[in-house]
Amino acid sequence: MYRRSLIGLAVALSAGAVLAQSYPNKPVRLVVPFAPGGTTDIIARVMADPLSRALGQPVVVENKSGGGGIVGAAETAKATPDGYALGIATVSTTAANPAINTKTPYNPLTDFTPIINIAATPNIIAVHPSFAAKDYASFLSAVKKAPGQYSFASSGTGGIAHLQMELYKNLSGTFITHIPYRGSGPALNDTVAGQVPIIFDNLPSALAFIKENRLVPIVVAAPERIAALPQVPTFKEVGLEPVNRMAYYGIVGPKGLPKEVVDKINAAVRKSLEDPAVRKRIEDTGAFVVANTPEQFGAQIKAEFETYKRVVEQQKLRLD
């Protein structure tokens, strides 16, 4: 029995090595679990061309939105573990949504193979220019005076924007109605159009609208003030440090992805991020390049999932 197990292990390792030697010999799909226009989509498309060059095969970005990222993430989890079906993993898909949604069709800790965290991004509360408040103190005063009368847009129910805003509401003693969308892009479109007065979003997707004065930044979740927005305080500065959490954007595959393939993809992403032009495109969005190991990214996913499980339990959050 023991000898058969050793033989099986040797065969599996050999198969993984053979796969890695020929990998990739056809296009690689990279699923973005949100609609076009949001930060997840931006990061994926910035990486697609340089990653294609590093791997020697086209990396094709596909948007599979729905369920606050669950639909696209579930597709990656169910894919064949051969390295040709990868997905962009976010805090929403691997931590926040699974923490609040008991019907999530995958386990974020066991159904994916972590490969690399590409970048981390600040999150931000911003308002339409017609909103009376233009700074944090005025914003807090306005929403406190009118509980339930204001609404905020997010990229989807159970996503990081939703849960972080719910945490903010609980800690700040405010009540703002949640309006979920099928991704950051549609949420931004309606907020910029004035159909929703407030948005909680990732900075990279919101920054262009802020620079064009089509959105007004109020408070940001980041280790320190953002160079592009020096007048905007962090959540820590306004006394709400638990809300001061950044998002991540990494690449995962389905469980069982051979280590040799994981290492090859990790190395290709790192090589892509060595290009100053690629790093600049990412950093110009307000994101920070991370480029860590598969083990480090797996530890990040675990820590974030456990954090949001505690948030859900402590704040007694549930899906409607």
PDB file of all heavy atoms in Angstrom, residues 225-254:
ATOM      1  N   ARG A 225      -1.704  59.200   3.501  1.00  0.00           N
ATOM      2  CA  ARG A 225      -2.396  59.986   2.483  1.00  0.00           C
ATOM      3  C   ARG A 225      -1.810  59.708   1.096  1.00  0.00           C
ATOM      4  O   ARG A 225      -0.617  59.500   0.943  1.00  0.00           O
ATOM      5  CB  ARG A 225      -2.322  61.477   2.799  1.00  0.00           C
ATOM      6  CG  ARG A 225      -3.137  61.854   4.029  1.00  0.00           C
ATOM      7  CD  ARG A 225      -3.411  63.339   4.097  1.00  0.00           C
ATOM      8  NE  ARG A 225      -4.172  63.680   5.307  1.00  0.00           N
ATOM      9  CZ  ARG A 225      -4.850  64.816   5.466  1.00  0.00           C
ATOM     10  NH1 ARG A 225      -4.840  65.733   4.504  1.00  0.00           N
ATOM     11  NH2 ARG A 225      -5.516  65.041   6.577  1.00  0.00           N
ATOM     12  N   ILE A 226      -2.681  59.728   0.097  1.00  0.00           N
ATOM     13  CA  ILE A 226      -2.280  59.452  -1.273  1.00  0.00           C
ATOM     14  C   ILE A 226      -1.675  60.705  -1.895  1.00  0.00           C
ATOM     15  O   ILE A 226      -2.235  61.797  -1.766  1.00  0.00           O
ATOM     16  CB  ILE A 226      -3.497  58.989  -2.099  1.00  0.00           C
ATOM     17  CG1 ILE A 226      -4.150  57.763  -1.443  1.00  0.00           C
ATOM     18  CG2 ILE A 226      -3.101  58.685  -3.535  1.00  0.00           C
ATOM     19  CD1 ILE A 226      -3.247  56.574  -1.319  1.00  0.00           C
ATOM     20  N   ALA A 227      -0.537  60.538  -2.573  1.00  0.00           N
ATOM     21  CA  ALA A 227       0.161  61.690  -3.165  1.00  0.00           C
ATOM     22  C   ALA A 227      -0.734  62.475  -4.121  1.00  0.00           C
ATOM     23  O   ALA A 227      -0.673  63.711  -4.167  1.00  0.00           O
ATOM     24  CB  ALA A 227       1.414  61.212  -3.890  1.00  0.00           C
ATOM     25  N   ALA A 228      -1.573  61.761  -4.872  1.00  0.00           N
ATOM     26  CA  ALA A 228      -2.456  62.443  -5.833  1.00  0.00           C
ATOM     27  C   ALA A 228      -3.616  63.162  -5.160  1.00  0.00           C
ATOM     28  O   ALA A 228      -4.248  64.032  -5.769  1.00  0.00           O
ATOM     29  CB  ALA A 228      -2.993  61.424  -6.838  1.00  0.00           C
ATOM     30  N   LEU A 229      -3.885  62.813  -3.880  1.00  0.00           N
ATOM     31  CA  LEU A 229      -5.010  63.413  -3.146  1.00  0.00           C
ATOM     32  C   LEU A 229      -4.538  63.830  -1.752  1.00  0.00           C
ATOM     33  O   LEU A 229      -5.030  63.332  -0.741  1.00  0.00           O
ATOM     34  CB  LEU A 229      -6.162  62.411  -3.030  1.00  0.00           C
ATOM     35  CG  LEU A 229      -6.705  61.816  -4.335  1.00  0.00           C
ATOM     36  CD1 LEU A 229      -7.679  60.695  -4.036  1.00  0.00           C
ATOM     37  CD2 LEU A 229      -7.369  62.899  -5.184  1.00  0.00           C
ATOM     38  N   PRO A 230      -3.590  64.763  -1.667  1.00  0.00           N
ATOM     39  CA  PRO A 230      -2.987  65.102  -0.374  1.00  0.00           C
ATOM     40  C   PRO A 230      -3.950  65.708   0.638  1.00  0.00           C
ATOM     41  O   PRO A 230      -3.690  65.661   1.842  1.00  0.00           O
ATOM     42  CB  PRO A 230      -1.892  66.109  -0.760  1.00  0.00           C
ATOM     43  CG  PRO A 230      -2.360  66.697  -2.060  1.00  0.00           C
ATOM     44  CD  PRO A 230      -3.038  65.568  -2.775  1.00  0.00           C
ATOM     45  N   GLN A 231      -5.088  66.220   0.158  1.00  0.00           N
ATOM     46  CA  GLN A 231      -6.042  66.852   1.064  1.00  0.00           C
ATOM     47  C   GLN A 231      -7.023  65.865   1.685  1.00  0.00           C
ATOM     48  O   GLN A 231      -7.789  66.226   2.596  1.00  0.00           O
ATOM     49  CB  GLN A 231      -6.838  67.944   0.313  1.00  0.00           C
ATOM     50  CG  GLN A 231      -7.976  67.427  -0.575  1.00  0.00           C
ATOM     51  CD  GLN A 231      -7.527  66.824  -1.904  1.00  0.00           C
ATOM     52  OE1 GLN A 231      -6.344  66.572  -2.117  1.00  0.00           O
ATOM     53  NE2 GLN A 231      -8.482  66.592  -2.798  1.00  0.00           N
ATOM     54  N   VAL A 232      -6.984  64.605   1.229  1.00  0.00           N
ATOM     55  CA  VAL A 232      -7.973  63.615   1.674  1.00  0.00           C
ATOM     56  C   VAL A 232      -7.417  62.789   2.822  1.00  0.00           C
ATOM     57  O   VAL A 232      -6.395  62.110   2.671  1.00  0.00           O
ATOM     58  CB  VAL A 232      -8.377  62.696   0.498  1.00  0.00           C
ATOM     59  CG1 VAL A 232      -9.437  61.698   0.956  1.00  0.00           C
ATOM     60  CG2 VAL A 232      -8.890  63.524  -0.675  1.00  0.00           C
ATOM     61  N   PRO A 233      -8.084  62.787   3.980  1.00  0.00           N
ATOM     62  CA  PRO A 233      -7.592  62.022   5.135  1.00  0.00           C
ATOM     63  C   PRO A 233      -7.820  60.526   4.972  1.00  0.00           C
ATOM     64  O   PRO A 233      -8.670  60.092   4.193  1.00  0.00           O
ATOM     65  CB  PRO A 233      -8.420  62.573   6.294  1.00  0.00           C
ATOM     66  CG  PRO A 233      -9.714  62.952   5.656  1.00  0.00           C
ATOM     67  CD  PRO A 233      -9.344  63.493   4.291  1.00  0.00           C
ATOM     68  N   THR A 234      -7.071  59.727   5.733  1.00  0.00           N
ATOM     69  CA  THR A 234      -7.298  58.284   5.776  1.00  0.00           C
ATOM     70  C   THR A 234      -8.350  57.986   6.846  1.00  0.00           C
ATOM     71  O   THR A 234      -8.633  58.823   7.710  1.00  0.00           O
ATOM     72  CB  THR A 234      -6.007  57.532   6.116  1.00  0.00           C
ATOM     73  OG1 THR A 234      -5.633  57.865   7.468  1.00  0.00           O
ATOM     74  CG2 THR A 234      -4.876  57.901   5.170  1.00  0.00           C
ATOM     75  N   PHE A 235      -8.907  56.788   6.799  1.00  0.00           N
ATOM     76  CA  PHE A 235      -9.867  56.381   7.825  1.00  0.00           C
ATOM     77  C   PHE A 235      -9.203  56.395   9.209  1.00  0.00           C
ATOM     78  O   PHE A 235      -9.855  56.712  10.207  1.00  0.00           O
ATOM     79  CB  PHE A 235     -10.429  54.993   7.529  1.00  0.00           C
ATOM     80  CG  PHE A 235     -11.507  54.981   6.486  1.00  0.00           C
ATOM     81  CD1 PHE A 235     -11.232  54.593   5.182  1.00  0.00           C
ATOM     82  CD2 PHE A 235     -12.799  55.363   6.796  1.00  0.00           C
ATOM     83  CE1 PHE A 235     -12.224  54.583   4.214  1.00  0.00           C
ATOM     84  CE2 PHE A 235     -13.809  55.365   5.845  1.00  0.00           C
ATOM     85  CZ  PHE A 235     -13.516  54.964   4.538  1.00  0.00           C
ATOM     86  N   LYS A 236      -7.928  56.052   9.250  1.00  0.00           N
ATOM     87  CA  LYS A 236      -7.217  56.080  10.522  1.00  0.00           C
ATOM     88  C   LYS A 236      -7.195  57.490  11.092  1.00  0.00           C
ATOM     89  O   LYS A 236      -7.397  57.696  12.298  1.00  0.00           O
ATOM     90  CB  LYS A 236      -5.787  55.560  10.337  1.00  0.00           C
ATOM     91  CG  LYS A 236      -4.974  55.526  11.635  1.00  0.00           C
ATOM     92  CD  LYS A 236      -3.594  54.959  11.407  1.00  0.00           C
ATOM     93  CE  LYS A 236      -2.795  54.938  12.712  1.00  0.00           C
ATOM     94  NZ  LYS A 236      -1.442  54.365  12.509  1.00  0.00           N
ATOM     95  N   GLU A 237      -6.972  58.478  10.235  1.00  0.00           N
ATOM     96  CA  GLU A 237      -6.911  59.870  10.685  1.00  0.00           C
ATOM     97  C   GLU A 237      -8.235  60.355  11.261  1.00  0.00           C
ATOM     98  O   GLU A 237      -8.247  61.208  12.156  1.00  0.00           O
ATOM     99  CB  GLU A 237      -6.496  60.784   9.535  1.00  0.00           C
ATOM    100  CG  GLU A 237      -5.042  60.673   9.133  1.00  0.00           C
ATOM    101  CD  GLU A 237      -4.707  61.619   7.998  1.00  0.00           C
ATOM    102  OE1 GLU A 237      -4.495  62.820   8.259  1.00  0.00           O
ATOM    103  OE2 GLU A 237      -4.683  61.169   6.834  1.00  0.00           O
ATOM    104  N   VAL A 238      -9.336  59.830  10.746  1.00  0.00           N
ATOM    105  CA  VAL A 238     -10.643  60.281  11.241  1.00  0.00           C
ATOM    106  C   VAL A 238     -11.138  59.393  12.376  1.00  0.00           C
ATOM    107  O   VAL A 238     -12.304  59.450  12.761  1.00  0.00           O
ATOM    108  CB  VAL A 238     -11.693  60.354  10.100  1.00  0.00           C
ATOM    109  CG1 VAL A 238     -11.226  61.316   9.030  1.00  0.00           C
ATOM    110  CG2 VAL A 238     -12.000  58.972   9.513  1.00  0.00           C
ATOM    111  N   GLY A 239     -10.251  58.542  12.909  1.00  0.00           N
ATOM    112  CA  GLY A 239     -10.578  57.742  14.080  1.00  0.00           C
ATOM    113  C   GLY A 239     -11.244  56.415  13.799  1.00  0.00           C
ATOM    114  O   GLY A 239     -11.851  55.819  14.697  1.00  0.00           O
ATOM    115  N   LEU A 240     -11.132  55.918  12.549  1.00  0.00           N
ATOM    116  CA  LEU A 240     -11.780  54.660  12.180  1.00  0.00           C
ATOM    117  C   LEU A 240     -10.767  53.689  11.572  1.00  0.00           C
ATOM    118  O   LEU A 240     -10.921  53.212  10.452  1.00  0.00           O
ATOM    119  CB  LEU A 240     -12.919  54.937  11.190  1.00  0.00           C
ATOM    120  CG  LEU A 240     -14.065  55.807  11.724  1.00  0.00           C
ATOM    121  CD1 LEU A 240     -14.996  56.215  10.602  1.00  0.00           C
ATOM    122  CD2 LEU A 240     -14.836  55.072  12.810  1.00  0.00           C
ATOM    123  N   GLU A 241      -9.731  53.389  12.329  1.00  0.00           N
ATOM    124  CA  GLU A 241      -8.643  52.549  11.815  1.00  0.00           C
ATOM    125  C   GLU A 241      -9.108  51.172  11.337  1.00  0.00           C
ATOM    126  O   GLU A 241      -8.559  50.649  10.353  1.00  0.00           O
ATOM    127  CB  GLU A 241      -7.533  52.398  12.858  1.00  0.00           C
ATOM    128  CG  GLU A 241      -6.309  51.685  12.320  1.00  0.00           C
ATOM    129  CD  GLU A 241      -5.130  51.742  13.266  1.00  0.00           C
ATOM    130  OE1 GLU A 241      -5.279  52.258  14.397  1.00  0.00           O
ATOM    131  OE2 GLU A 241      -4.052  51.272  12.879  1.00  0.00           O
ATOM    132  N   PRO A 242     -10.098  50.520  11.965  1.00  0.00           N
ATOM    133  CA  PRO A 242     -10.528  49.201  11.465  1.00  0.00           C
ATOM    134  C   PRO A 242     -11.017  49.226  10.014  1.00  0.00           C
ATOM    135  O   PRO A 242     -11.013  48.199   9.342  1.00  0.00           O
ATOM    136  CB  PRO A 242     -11.657  48.818  12.423  1.00  0.00           C
ATOM    137  CG  PRO A 242     -11.332  49.541  13.689  1.00  0.00           C
ATOM    138  CD  PRO A 242     -10.770  50.859  13.237  1.00  0.00           C
ATOM    139  N   VAL A 243     -11.443  50.395   9.527  1.00  0.00           N
ATOM    140  CA  VAL A 243     -11.931  50.509   8.148  1.00  0.00           C
ATOM    141  C   VAL A 243     -10.770  50.734   7.175  1.00  0.00           C
ATOM    142  O   VAL A 243     -10.939  50.655   5.966  1.00  0.00           O
ATOM    143  CB  VAL A 243     -12.958  51.663   8.027  1.00  0.00           C
ATOM    144  CG1 VAL A 243     -13.696  51.608   6.691  1.00  0.00           C
ATOM    145  CG2 VAL A 243     -13.973  51.612   9.158  1.00  0.00           C
ATOM    146  N   ASN A 244      -9.598  50.996   7.703  1.00  0.00           N
ATOM    147  CA  ASN A 244      -8.444  51.405   6.887  1.00  0.00           C
ATOM    148  C   ASN A 244      -7.751  50.207   6.237  1.00  0.00           C
ATOM    149  O   ASN A 244      -6.581  49.944   6.468  1.00  0.00           O
ATOM    150  CB  ASN A 244      -7.445  52.171   7.762  1.00  0.00           C
ATOM    151  CG  ASN A 244      -6.710  53.237   6.975  1.00  0.00           C
ATOM    152  OD1 ASN A 244      -7.338  53.995   6.253  1.00  0.00           O
ATOM    153  ND2 ASN A 244      -5.404  53.304   7.109  1.00  0.00           N
ATOM    154  N   ARG A 245      -8.513  49.460   5.387  1.00  0.00           N
ATOM    155  CA  ARG A 245      -7.999  48.236   4.767  1.00  0.00           C
ATOM    156  C   ARG A 245      -7.897  48.432   3.257  1.00  0.00           C
ATOM    157  O   ARG A 245      -8.787  48.986   2.635  1.00  0.00           O
ATOM    158  CB  ARG A 245      -8.914  47.048   5.061  1.00  0.00           C
ATOM    159  CG  ARG A 245      -9.278  46.915   6.528  1.00  0.00           C
ATOM    160  CD  ARG A 245     -10.013  45.617   6.779  1.00  0.00           C
ATOM    161  NE  ARG A 245      -9.123  44.469   6.609  1.00  0.00           N
ATOM    162  CZ  ARG A 245      -8.269  44.064   7.545  1.00  0.00           C
ATOM    163  NH1 ARG A 245      -8.196  44.694   8.703  1.00  0.00           N
ATOM    164  NH2 ARG A 245      -7.499  43.017   7.322  1.00  0.00           N
ATOM    165  N   MET A 246      -6.798  47.912   2.667  1.00  0.00           N
ATOM    166  CA  MET A 246      -6.614  48.019   1.222  1.00  0.00           C
ATOM    167  C   MET A 246      -7.117  46.747   0.522  1.00  0.00           C
ATOM    168  O   MET A 246      -7.265  45.700   1.138  1.00  0.00           O
ATOM    169  CB  MET A 246      -5.144  48.247   0.892  1.00  0.00           C
ATOM    170  CG  MET A 246      -4.592  49.540   1.450  1.00  0.00           C
ATOM    171  SD  MET A 246      -3.506  50.430   0.311  1.00  0.00           S
ATOM    172  CE  MET A 246      -2.187  49.268   0.102  1.00  0.00           C
ATOM    173  N   ALA A 247      -7.365  46.884  -0.765  1.00  0.00           N
ATOM    174  CA  ALA A 247      -7.785  45.750  -1.585  1.00  0.00           C
ATOM    175  C   ALA A 247      -6.562  45.090  -2.207  1.00  0.00           C
ATOM    176  O   ALA A 247      -5.496  45.689  -2.262  1.00  0.00           O
ATOM    177  CB  ALA A 247      -8.731  46.222  -2.680  1.00  0.00           C
ATOM    178  N   TYR A 248      -6.718  43.827  -2.655  1.00  0.00           N
ATOM    179  CA  TYR A 248      -5.632  43.194  -3.413  1.00  0.00           C
ATOM    180  C   TYR A 248      -6.172  42.638  -4.724  1.00  0.00           C
ATOM    181  O   TYR A 248      -7.364  42.361  -4.871  1.00  0.00           O
ATOM    182  CB  TYR A 248      -4.908  42.102  -2.620  1.00  0.00           C
ATOM    183  CG  TYR A 248      -5.748  40.985  -2.046  1.00  0.00           C
ATOM    184  CD1 TYR A 248      -6.408  40.071  -2.856  1.00  0.00           C
ATOM    185  CD2 TYR A 248      -5.831  40.810  -0.665  1.00  0.00           C
ATOM    186  CE1 TYR A 248      -7.148  39.036  -2.322  1.00  0.00           C
ATOM    187  CE2 TYR A 248      -6.575  39.770  -0.109  1.00  0.00           C
ATOM    188  CZ  TYR A 248      -7.223  38.892  -0.937  1.00  0.00           C
ATOM    189  OH  TYR A 248      -7.968  37.859  -0.401  1.00  0.00           O
ATOM    190  N   TYR A 249      -5.250  42.491  -5.692  1.00  0.00           N
ATOM    191  CA  TYR A 249      -5.585  41.988  -7.020  1.00  0.00           C
ATOM    192  C   TYR A 249      -4.503  40.995  -7.418  1.00  0.00           C
ATOM    193  O   TYR A 249      -3.388  41.369  -7.754  1.00  0.00           O
ATOM    194  CB  TYR A 249      -5.680  43.135  -8.042  1.00  0.00           C
ATOM    195  CG  TYR A 249      -6.731  44.116  -7.628  1.00  0.00           C
ATOM    196  CD1 TYR A 249      -6.409  45.168  -6.776  1.00  0.00           C
ATOM    197  CD2 TYR A 249      -8.055  43.942  -8.003  1.00  0.00           C
ATOM    198  CE1 TYR A 249      -7.380  46.037  -6.326  1.00  0.00           C
ATOM    199  CE2 TYR A 249      -9.028  44.808  -7.551  1.00  0.00           C
ATOM    200  CZ  TYR A 249      -8.695  45.846  -6.717  1.00  0.00           C
ATOM    201  OH  TYR A 249      -9.662  46.692  -6.265  1.00  0.00           O
ATOM    202  N   GLY A 250      -4.838  39.709  -7.306  1.00  0.00           N
ATOM    203  CA  GLY A 250      -3.848  38.682  -7.576  1.00  0.00           C
ATOM    204  C   GLY A 250      -4.354  37.676  -8.587  1.00  0.00           C
ATOM    205  O   GLY A 250      -5.486  37.781  -9.081  1.00  0.00           O
ATOM    206  N   ILE A 251      -3.522  36.711  -8.893  1.00  0.00           N
ATOM    207  CA  ILE A 251      -3.894  35.653  -9.830  1.00  0.00           C
ATOM    208  C   ILE A 251      -3.961  34.327  -9.081  1.00  0.00           C
ATOM    209  O   ILE A 251      -3.060  33.997  -8.306  1.00  0.00           O
ATOM    210  CB  ILE A 251      -2.885  35.545 -10.987  1.00  0.00           C
ATOM    211  CG1 ILE A 251      -2.910  36.829 -11.822  1.00  0.00           C
ATOM    212  CG2 ILE A 251      -3.207  34.349 -11.884  1.00  0.00           C
ATOM    213  CD1 ILE A 251      -1.912  36.846 -12.973  1.00  0.00           C
ATOM    214  N   VAL A 252      -5.050  33.604  -9.313  1.00  0.00           N
ATOM    215  CA  VAL A 252      -5.213  32.263  -8.747  1.00  0.00           C
ATOM    216  C   VAL A 252      -5.610  31.302  -9.856  1.00  0.00           C
ATOM    217  O   VAL A 252      -6.074  31.712 -10.922  1.00  0.00           O
ATOM    218  CB  VAL A 252      -6.284  32.218  -7.634  1.00  0.00           C
ATOM    219  CG1 VAL A 252      -5.893  33.085  -6.454  1.00  0.00           C
ATOM    220  CG2 VAL A 252      -7.656  32.634  -8.186  1.00  0.00           C
ATOM    221  N   GLY A 253      -5.413  30.036  -9.584  1.00  0.00           N
ATOM    222  CA  GLY A 253      -5.915  28.988 -10.457  1.00  0.00           C
ATOM    223  C   GLY A 253      -6.802  28.073  -9.644  1.00  0.00           C
ATOM    224  O   GLY A 253      -6.970  28.263  -8.430  1.00  0.00           O
ATOM    225  N   PRO A 254      -7.395  27.064 -10.254  1.00  0.00           N
ATOM    226  CA  PRO A 254      -8.178  26.094  -9.483  1.00  0.00           C
ATOM    227  C   PRO A 254      -7.266  25.274  -8.585  1.00  0.00           C
ATOM    228  O   PRO A 254      -6.050  25.242  -8.779  1.00  0.00           O
ATOM    229  CB  PRO A 254      -8.822  25.223 -10.570  1.00  0.00           C
ATOM    230  CG  PRO A 254      -7.927  25.373 -11.746  1.00  0.00           C
ATOM    231  CD  PRO A 254      -7.366  26.758 -11.696  1.00  0.00           C
TER     232      PRO A 254
END
